[in-house]
Amino acid sequence: MAAIVWVALFAGVYFVIDATQRPKVATVIGNNEIQSPRSRDGHFYVPGAINGQPVTFMVDTGASTVSVGYQHAQRLGLPRGRQVMVGTANGYTQAEEVLAQTVSVGDILIRDVRIVILPNNSGEPLLGQNVLKHLDILQSQELMTLKPRRS
């Protein structure tokens, strides 16, 4: 009986820790506005899609381009791209560039987006400046709000 209690206790602790470590994903509120709380890792995550396939983006205001890892690219059905060299936080690397893709952030749709496929990136897709430039961004210490930029 004691073993069952210990297993249940450890399982409960595991699920609590797992839930608190998971990124906090944004919610879409009225008028195409997206609010994202800062996650424990310090980043902001927003729901979106690439060519209609759902993804969770990590907002990266320092990235110039939307980028995905090779496994994400395969899952999303992205075509093979042109070989390019790109600068990342870890230095320069060979990547593939895919043009004319559609990206949505919440209910906000952006067409003709350049996406870079990074062979050694297994993390969340990065939402870079080529999409963020279409959005107004308001950031406080613990909350980021994204909404369509008014022309």
Side-chain angles (χ1 to χ4, degrees):
M1 184 62 160
I4 293 173
V5 170
W6 280 108
V7 169
L9 179 65
F10 283 120
V13 169
Y14 170 79
F15 287 117
V16 167
I17 290 172
D18 184 55
T20 60
Q21 296 299 316
R22 219 176 273 141
K24 298 177 185 175
V25 179
T27 55
V28 178
I29 59 176
N31 300 329
N32 289 333
E33 193 171 302
I34 303 159
Q35 287 190 335
S36 177
R38 184 182 301 274
S39 289
R40 268 182 90 86
D41 64 2
H43 297 289
F44 296 95
Y45 295 86
V46 296
I50 296 176
N51 298 333
Q53 298 295 314
V55 297
T56 298
F57 288 108
M58 183 178 84
V59 178
D60 187 350
T61 58
S64 58
T65 307
V66 171
S67 64
V68 300
Y70 184 73
Q71 273 93 14
H72 279 292
Q74 284 187 311
R75 181 182 68 78
L76 297 167
L78 290 176
R80 296 300 306 250
R82 164 178 91 92
Q83 294 291 314
V84 294
M85 286 295 288
V86 295
T88 70
N90 296 321
Y92 284 90
T93 189
Q94 190 77 22
E96 292 183 33
E97 173 187 60
V98 182
L99 303 175
Q101 304 303 301
T102 302
V103 171
S104 63
V105 180
D107 294 332
I108 305 164
L109 186 67
I110 297 111
R111 298 183 194 283
D112 199 26
V113 176
R114 173 183 182 248
I115 296 177
V116 172
I117 301 169
L118 300 170
N120 298 322
N121 181 358
S122 60
E124 299 292 342
L126 301 179
L127 190 63
Q129 286 296 329
N130 63 330
V131 167
L132 294 173
K133 71 182 180 183
H134 298 283
L135 307 172
D136 285 330
I137 303 170
L138 178 62
Q139 182 179 341
S140 67
Q141 187 65 24
E142 296 301 320
L143 186 68
M144 177 180 280
T145 303
L146 304 172
K147 55 186 171 181
R149 179 160 286 163
R150 303 288 180 223
S151 303

